[in-house]
Amino acid sequence: MGSEYLTNNIRKLRFEHSQMTQQDLADKVGVTRQTIIATESGRYAPSLPLAFKIANTFGVPIEQVFQYDEENS
Amino acid sequence: MNKLQKRAWINLGCMAGALLFTVIFLSFAVHVNMEVDVLGSTLSFLVGLTAGVIVAIRILPKENLLDEREKLIAHTAFTYSSYVFIFFMVFTSQGIFFFSSARDKIPVYLPFLLSVSGLFISQLVSFSIVQIWCVKEQQNG
């Protein structure tokens, strides 16, 4: 369920966007706060549509939100 | 408690209720030596079907409110509970086959009781997976 090689900048991006709360982000992308918590901490690898929704919410390309560590994969 | 945990509680409650009803009904039926009656069987089936439909109508619309992570947890719980149900039925059926071979017959209520018990146990497994998963995430998050 989680991904050891998928890292993300969600936390950093939330704070850069007027200190958006996890609940605000969850509401904007249509998931629960628990899903945002799990994604942010790397315990859950989101689906591609959800990853794009998160990126679109921050107005950045998806690769600025999620990074795949190919060397360790 | 999130939606998934609530749904797990409802499912477990329904199965516990069904098992309790079955045990009470079968105990009563055996005690009074009840005979098979077509009208009674049909009525029981209709009452059960109505109860099932009411529960499904109350629960199914909420399924759409689960997000992708919750659906994944629910799917995993369902998969493991299905395995448990299959193994339970296979092993208890084999057990009955071997242990009752001397008598060549089993009580008529036994397959029904085993089916309901199997469903309850599988629901218990599903419930445990959902609760443990959610509690673990809450502790970490």
Side-chain angles (χ1 to χ4, degrees), chain A residues 4-68:
Chain A
E4 296 158 39
Y5 312 114
L6 195 67
T7 56
N8 68 76
N9 297 319
I10 295 176
R11 190 176 175 80
K12 181 172 158 271
L13 287 162
R14 278 197 303 109
F15 280 92
E16 284 174 4
H17 284 75
S18 320
Q19 299 204 338
M20 186 190 288
T21 63
Q22 289 172 330
Q23 187 63 58
D24 290 338
L25 179 59
D27 292 340
K28 282 183 179 167
V29 297
V31 295
T32 60
R33 186 173 153 261
Q34 281 78 21
T35 298
I36 296 296
I37 293 169
T39 307
E40 203 174 283
S41 60
R43 279 180 284 111
Y44 175 65
S47 67
L48 208 47
L50 178 58
F52 272 108
K53 276 184 193 173
I54 292 171
N56 289 345
T57 303
F58 293 127
V60 294
I62 195 167
E63 58 267 26
Q64 274 191 34
V65 185
F66 296 98
Q67 294 81 38
Y68 186 68

Side-chain angles (χ1 to χ4, degrees), chain B residues 57-112:
Chain B
I57 287 170
R58 279 188 58 81
I59 294 171
L60 283 180
K62 291 175 186 170
E63 178 77 19
N64 296 330
L65 297 174
L66 298 179
D67 70 13
E68 58 176 50
R69 192 188 109 273
E70 290 173 325
K71 280 180 183 167
L72 183 67
I73 296 172
H75 180 74
T76 307
F78 177 76
T79 304
Y80 282 104
S81 67
S82 301
Y83 292 154
V84 167
F85 180 70
I86 291 165
F87 279 110
F88 178 84
M89 292 309 289
V90 167
F91 284 109
T92 50
S93 300
Q94 282 185 352
I96 290 168
F97 179 80
F98 289 118
F99 288 113
S100 66
S101 57
R103 290 185 298 165
D104 275 346
K105 59 183 178 182
I106 56 167
V108 71
Y109 57 80
L110 200 56
F112 180 56

